[in-house]
Amino acid sequence: MVELRNDERLDYLLAEELRIIQSPSVFSFSLDAVLLARFAYLPIQKGRVIDLCSGNGVIPLLISNRTKANIIGVEIQERLYDMALRSISYNHLENQINMIHGDIKEMPERLGKGKFDVVICNPPYFVTPPKSEKNINEHLAIARHEILCTLEDAIQVSSKLLRQGGKAAFVHRPGRLLDILMLMRKYRIEPKRLRFVYPRYGKEANTILVEGIKDGSKDLKVLPPLYIYKAENQYSEEVEEMLFGNAIEYDKKEG
C-alpha cells in the first residue's frame, strides 16, 4: 500500500510495469521525461547515474529497468521529493534509487566532482517571468521557470559531476538550442548526439534531445527526427513502444 495525500493519484508507467505518485496541482511528468529517459545513454551493469531536477522521480524510475547502476535523483522541492520517495518505496527500488532533497548547485561539493558516469537533466524551460505573470502555483512555477535553477546552472553542475568521458543528456526547447550547445562547450561537455522531436509530420520541432561527452572530441551527429503523433492523432509506433513496451533501442555509440 502507499499513502496518497490531497489530490495525489497513483499512475502506471506502463512500459516499465511500475507505478508513480502524481498530483495535478503539484507535479505530473510530461512526455519529455519519457523521451529523455529513452534517449540517454546508460551503463548496463554498473556505474553511477544522477538525475538533476528530478521532480517526482519519474526519470530514475523509468531508467531503473535499463541499468543495474546506482541512481541518484536530486529535487529541491520538498513536496516533490517526498512524492518520489514514496514512489520508490512502493516499487521496492530503495536499493537502486536514492533521492536527495537539495539544490543541484550544491551537489558537486556534496557528492564529489568527477564521480558520475551519466548525468541526466530535464531543467526548467522558461526564463523567470515578471512577478505579475508568474504561475501562482509555486510548485509548478519552480518546475517550469528558471527561478531556482538556470540552464547554465544545470550544464555547469553536470560538467562538475561528470568524470572525464562521462555523458550528459538534456531535454529542452528548440529556441534554446544555440544556448545549450554554447554552454555545453563552455563547460567542456562536447555535444555528440542531437535529435529533434516534432508533434507530427509537417509541424515545427517543439523539443530537442541533446547528449554530450565530458572532454569528448568534436563530432556532432544529428539523429533521425522523432514524430510524436501520426496524422490521425495516434501515437507513432516509436512513441507507442516507448510508452507501452518493447522500446526501440538506438545506437548509443560515441562514433
Side-chain angles (χ1 to χ4, degrees):
M1 297 295 292
V2 62
E3 179 186 358
L4 297 177
R5 301 166 186 165
N6 301 319
D7 63 351
E8 291 178 350
R9 63 181 188 263
L10 193 61
D11 288 345
Y12 282 98
L13 295 173
L14 294 176
E16 286 72 22
E17 298 181 350
L18 300 174
R19 305 289 293 273
I20 186 169
I21 297 170
Q22 306 241 74
S23 164
S25 65
V26 178
F27 186 89
S28 295
F29 73 87
S30 70
L31 182 59
D32 291 358
V34 179
L35 300 179
L36 179 60
R38 291 296 184 188
F39 175 78
Y41 161 85
L42 290 171
I44 296 174
Q45 293 297 328
K46 60 183 180 179
R48 300 190 72 197
V49 178
I50 187 165
D51 175 50
L52 305 177
C53 308
S54 273
N56 63 347
V58 58
I59 287 180
L61 289 170
L62 286 169
I63 66 175
S64 65
N65 281 353
R66 294 179 53 213
T67 180
K68 295 180 181 178
N70 174 262
I71 303 166
I72 293 176
V74 182
E75 175 51 47
I76 197 168
Q77 295 196 62
E78 186 173 8
R79 177 71 189 279
L80 275 64
Y81 162 79
D82 178 67
M83 291 166 66
L85 285 182
R86 285 180 284 134
S87 292
I88 292 165
S89 176
Y90 181 85
N91 291 288
H92 307 293
L93 290 169
E94 301 97 323
N95 292 332
Q96 183 182 15
I97 303 174
N98 296 288
M99 288 295 301
I100 295 176
H101 175 220
D103 190 329
I104 69 166
K105 297 186 289 293
E106 299 172 357
M107 292 306 111
E109 296 301 325
R110 183 169 173 178
L111 300 175
K113 297 179 181 179
K115 300 295 186 180
F116 289 87
D117 301 286
V118 176
V119 178
I120 301 173
C121 185
N122 181 356
Y125 287 158
F126 309 109
V127 296
T128 304
K131 188 173 182 179
S132 61
E133 298 177 11
K134 194 176 297 183
N135 194 317
I136 59 174
N137 184 318
E138 181 183 10
H139 297 292
L140 299 179
I142 291 172
R144 295 171 181 173
H145 295 89
E146 295 182 335
I147 297 170
L148 301 180
C149 168
T150 67
L151 177 60
E152 184 161 8
D153 290 334
I155 293 174
Q156 183 178 25
V157 168
S158 297
S159 179
K160 289 180 179 179
L161 291 170
L162 279 176
R163 64 168 177 79
Q164 188 172 19
K167 297 183 178 182
F170 307 95
V171 61
H172 218 289
R173 294 289 180 255
R176 300 297 299 276
L177 175 59
L178 191 56
D179 294 334
I180 292 170
L181 297 181
M182 291 176 64
L183 287 168
M184 288 175 74
R185 277 199 166 170
K186 177 180 178 180
Y187 293 107
R188 298 166 48 204
I189 302 176
E190 184 61 29
K192 301 293 286 187
R193 295 195 301 135
L194 171 63
R195 194 171 195 194
F196 292 90
V197 182
Y198 301 80
R200 57 178 51 81
Y201 184 79
K203 298 292 185 179
E204 294 182 356
N206 59 1
T207 304
I208 53 172
L209 299 160
V210 187
E211 185 178 76
I213 294 179
K214 177 76 172 284
D215 294 323
S217 59
K218 296 180 180 179
D219 181 23
L220 176 62
K221 298 183 185 302
V222 179
L223 303 182
L226 171 59
Y227 298 103
I228 302 301
Y229 292 103
K230 299 176 181 178
E232 59 271 27
N233 290 327
Q234 294 180 334
Y235 284 125
S236 66
E237 286 85 355
E238 184 174 347
V239 172
E240 196 169 73
E241 287 172 334
M242 288 184 186
L243 292 171
F244 305 113
N246 300 317
I248 298 173
E249 291 294 331
Y250 290 92
D251 183 8
K252 301 296 193 299
K253 295 181 181 178
E254 177 177 340

